[in-house]
């Protein structure tokens, strides 16, 4: 049995060029991930196959080559730029006599290093336990021995079954704690809705410059570093863009190609800040050669968390490294599509602030409506949205309401209560 080091510092990287585009990974990005995790790249082994091999993922010949690289460089860990099955990891560790970690395990390790808040640590632990629960048999033959001794003889319970049961108990405990945190977050969101303060969520591929832009817009000092997943825990700040426009900016975790499903599920409560935002700012690195692929990956994750229908403005960042000038691009309907700027130097940031001011001035509907006593349900919904500014009740029990409501909330309300369209018909005129 080989010794498992707590931290693998010298690493052998394994990258396979798979002909199937849906499973292809980026070696440069993987190298950056490894560096972000704090490992030293000792060597890189590359290979090409039409499809992975069932036993070792890579071919037997390449696996033997890696054995030589491990001895040559005295490596402590082998990192695969792909998702490995539990049996593949176990087979590789037996053959290589070295710790083996796949892409998902590496990303989980980085998240564990970056988590600072109580919620973030719980979410990372939950994702790790879910990942670990499928890999208990990896390299640990003693887990299959049954307990013995006085009072414990007979069929008994294998150590593996005990560990699985303990993992299930811990996962249940974490989910209960996260449920409490989710309720607290929801209370915060309801308070912001009642205060009529719109939320702008910054999203984008990791290392695109979201936190730098957040610091510039919110005059904050959130941790910024040229590395993947520098920001993990969400940060929210209230900002006054103008005398009549107050917003809340939310800086969220960056996305990445083939983001592990365990992480998406575990961070769903955090990502709700994005899913329930009034507007998304999709920050894009203009000097990234693969920026179009990055945009597709971000849009894919947004779809997973049901945030793909939220209005979005693309922020083309890092123009200071190009010949591009600050500008605003419009679509065929005259709506803002892109803003070109540099978050690091501040070029074009004032254009974005101006766009946001105009957007939220246009997106708020103010009107006076009359509801009949039988429409008390609609009145309750408007109160829940924090849309009622003033209310009076006439002699017939009718509700005279002065409302101020976001067009998006008004549209959603109209879709939920189509039979009540007459009551808000005047308000809906001109609503897209």
């Amino acid at each position: 049995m080989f010794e498992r080091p707590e931290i693998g510092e010298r690493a052998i990287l394994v990258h396979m060029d798979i002909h199937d585009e849906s499973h292809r990974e980026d070696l440069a990005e993987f190298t950056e991930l490894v560096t972000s995790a704090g490992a030293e790249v000792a060597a890189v082994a590359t290979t090409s196959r039409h499809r992975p091999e069932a036993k070792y993922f890579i071919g037997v010949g390449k696996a033997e080559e890696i054995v030589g690289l491990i001895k040559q460089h005295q490596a402590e860990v082998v990192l695969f730029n792909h998702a490995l099955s539990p049996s593949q990891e176990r087979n590789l560790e037996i053959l290589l006599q070295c710790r083996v970690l796949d892409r998902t395990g590496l990303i989980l390790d980085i998240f564990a290093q970056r988590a600072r808040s109580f919620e973030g640590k719980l979410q990372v632990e939950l994702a790790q336990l879910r990942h670990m629960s499928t890999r208990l048999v990896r390299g640990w033959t003693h887990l299959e021995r049954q307990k013995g001794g006085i009072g414990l003889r007979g069929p008994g319970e294998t150590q593996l079954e005990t560990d699985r049961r303990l993992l299930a108990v811990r996962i249940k405990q974490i989910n209960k704690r996260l449920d409490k945190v989710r309720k607290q977050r929801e209370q915060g969101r309801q308070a912001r809705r009642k205060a009529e303060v719109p939320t702008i969520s910054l999203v984008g591929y990791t290392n695109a410059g979201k936190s730098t832009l957040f610091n510039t817009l919110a005059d904050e000092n959130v941790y910024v570093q040229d590395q993947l997943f520098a920001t993990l825990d969400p940060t929210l700040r209230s900002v006054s863009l103008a005398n009549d426009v107050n917003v809340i900016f939310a800086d969220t975790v960056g996305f990445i190609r083939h983001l592990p499903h365990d992480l998406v599920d575990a961070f769903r409560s955090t990502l709700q800040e994005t899913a329930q935002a009034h507007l998304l700012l999709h920050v894009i690195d203009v000097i990234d050669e693969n920026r179009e692929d990055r945009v597709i990956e971000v849009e894919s994750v947004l779809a997973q968390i049901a945030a793909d229908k939220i209005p979005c403005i693309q922020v083309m960042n890092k123009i200071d490294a190009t010949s591009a000038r600050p500008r605003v691009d419009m679509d065929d309907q005259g709506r803002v599509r892109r803003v070109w700027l540099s978050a690091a130097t501040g070029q074009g940031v004032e254009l974005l602030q101006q766009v946001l001011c105009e957007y939220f001035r246009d997106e708020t509907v103010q009107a006076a409506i009359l509801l009949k006593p039988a429409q008390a349900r609609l009145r309750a919904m408007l109160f829940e949205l924090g849309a009622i500014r003033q209310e009076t009740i006439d002699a017939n029990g009718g509700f005279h309401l002065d409302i101020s409501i976001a067009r998006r909330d008004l549209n959603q309300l109209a879709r939920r209560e189509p039979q009540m369209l007459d009551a808000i018909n005047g308000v809906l005129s001109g609503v897209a």
Side-chain angles (χ1 to χ4, degrees):
M1 189 65 191
F2 60 87
E3 293 294 325
R4 292 167 178 259
E6 294 183 2
I7 299 177
E9 299 213 345
R10 294 181 61 79
I12 304 295
L13 275 56
V14 181
H15 173 78
M16 180 187 292
D17 184 13
I18 302 176
H19 297 181
D20 182 0
E21 181 63 31
S22 62
H23 293 86
R24 186 171 295 175
E25 301 290 359
D26 185 347
L27 178 57
E29 179 183 86
F30 183 59
T31 304
E32 195 172 350
L33 275 173
V34 174
T35 304
S36 297
E40 175 188 347
V41 180
V44 179
T46 60
T47 183
S48 176
R49 295 178 70 93
H50 286 282
R51 63 182 61 85
E53 195 263 348
K55 186 174 183 180
Y56 294 122
F57 189 85
I58 54 178
V60 177
K62 182 59 65 172
E64 295 292 347
E65 178 184 327
I66 294 173
V67 172
L69 290 174
I70 293 171
K71 294 178 180 179
Q72 177 184 349
H73 298 280
Q74 296 183 334
E76 298 164 308
V77 62
V78 176
L79 303 174
F80 276 72
N81 189 20
H82 310 275
L84 300 177
S85 69
S87 61
Q88 287 170 339
E89 282 195 15
R90 183 171 66 251
N91 294 336
L92 283 165
E93 288 193 338
I94 293 173
L95 175 67
L96 303 178
Q97 287 295 293
C98 182
R99 182 84 163 91
V100 174
L101 205 63
D102 68 353
R103 179 185 174 87
T104 300
L106 177 64
I107 294 176
L108 286 171
D109 181 80
I110 295 173
F111 271 55
Q113 294 181 45
R114 301 284 191 271
R116 293 292 179 269
S117 69
F118 174 72
E119 180 187 11
K121 291 177 180 178
L122 283 178
Q123 289 170 328
V124 171
E125 183 180 356
L126 178 61
Q128 287 177 320
L129 290 176
R130 285 175 173 170
H131 184 67
M132 187 189 307
S133 64
T134 64
R135 285 159 164 76
L136 284 177
V137 297
R138 183 186 61 195
W140 298 93
T141 55
H142 73 278
L143 292 180
E144 298 182 4
R145 298 173 187 164
Q146 293 186 343
K147 292 179 179 179
I150 297 175
L152 295 175
R153 303 184 192 279
E157 180 180 41
T158 66
Q159 184 64 45
L160 180 58
E161 290 167 345
T162 302
D163 287 354
R164 281 178 175 160
R165 179 167 49 80
L166 293 175
L167 274 178
V169 170
R170 180 58 180 162
I171 288 173
K172 186 175 181 179
Q173 291 173 342
I174 294 175
N175 277 323
K176 284 185 177 180
R177 292 186 180 182
L178 284 175
D179 283 340
K180 293 182 180 179
V181 177
R182 292 186 186 107
K183 291 178 181 178
Q184 292 172 353
R185 281 195 173 277
E186 183 56 33
Q187 290 174 352
R189 281 191 286 267
Q190 289 179 359
R192 291 196 293 273
R193 283 197 293 267
K194 289 181 179 179
E196 301 176 12
V197 181
T199 301
I200 304 172
S201 182
L202 278 65
V203 301
Y205 209 79
T206 183
N207 210 26
K210 296 183 305 303
S211 295
T212 302
L213 180 61
F214 178 86
N215 287 340
T216 302
L217 292 170
D219 193 22
E220 280 291 327
N221 191 29
V222 171
Y223 178 70
V224 175
Q225 191 67 30
D226 185 19
Q227 61 186 16
L228 302 186
F229 300 120
T231 302
L232 181 56
D233 297 308
T235 306
L236 286 80
R237 292 292 183 271
S238 178
V239 176
S240 178
L241 294 175
N243 291 334
D244 59 339
V245 180
N246 296 311
V247 300
I248 291 177
F249 286 107
D251 185 24
T252 58
V253 62
F255 303 147
I256 196 169
R257 181 176 173 84
H258 295 158
L259 189 66
H261 291 292
D262 286 339
L263 279 177
V264 175
D265 290 339
F267 280 77
R268 193 168 294 277
S269 62
T270 299
L271 295 174
Q272 281 298 104
E273 297 294 348
T274 296
Q276 298 192 18
H278 293 79
L279 177 69
L280 303 182
L281 294 182
H282 183 176
V283 183
I284 300 171
D285 183 354
V286 297
I287 61 176
D288 190 340
E289 296 179 355
N290 301 311
R291 73 183 190 190
E292 296 301 326
D293 292 336
R294 308 297 194 224
V295 169
I296 294 173
E297 290 297 328
V298 171
E299 291 175 348
S300 173
V301 177
L302 290 176
Q304 290 182 53
I305 61 173
D308 52 329
K309 303 301 182 184
I310 298 175
C312 180
I313 296 175
Q314 292 184 344
V315 178
M316 313 304 288
N317 190 28
K318 304 184 183 180
I319 63 170
D320 54 304
T322 70
S323 59
R325 305 284 296 176
R327 70 177 190 271
V328 177
D329 294 342
M330 303 283 192
D331 62 15
D332 295 337
Q333 284 75 41
R335 293 173 297 194
V336 175
R337 173 65 175 163
R338 296 186 184 90
V339 179
W340 297 71
L341 56 76
S342 169
T345 65
Q347 294 174 267
V349 173
E350 72 284 352
L351 289 177
L352 177 61
Q353 292 171 326
Q354 181 181 348
V355 164
L356 295 176
C357 285
E358 294 175 355
Y359 179 88
F360 285 104
R361 285 189 182 117
D362 293 341
E363 285 297 305
T364 301
V365 175
Q366 296 183 356
I369 64 174
L370 171 63
L371 299 183
K372 299 176 181 178
Q375 295 171 314
R377 181 182 174 190
L378 177 57
R379 170 180 171 270
M381 290 180 176
L382 290 170
F383 264 114
E384 184 180 350
L385 291 170
I388 298 178
R389 305 296 296 271
Q390 188 174 354
E391 177 189 38
T392 57
I393 304 176
D394 60 27
N396 298 321
F399 304 103
H400 295 262
L401 307 176
D402 291 332
I403 65 171
S404 176
I405 185 171
R407 285 180 182 267
R408 186 188 72 155
D409 291 337
L410 189 59
N411 285 329
Q412 290 178 346
L413 188 60
R415 286 193 293 268
R416 287 168 57 189
E417 301 294 328
Q419 73 276 17
M420 298 181 180
L421 285 179
D422 291 340
I424 51 178
N425 215 12
V427 184
L428 286 172
S429 59
V431 176

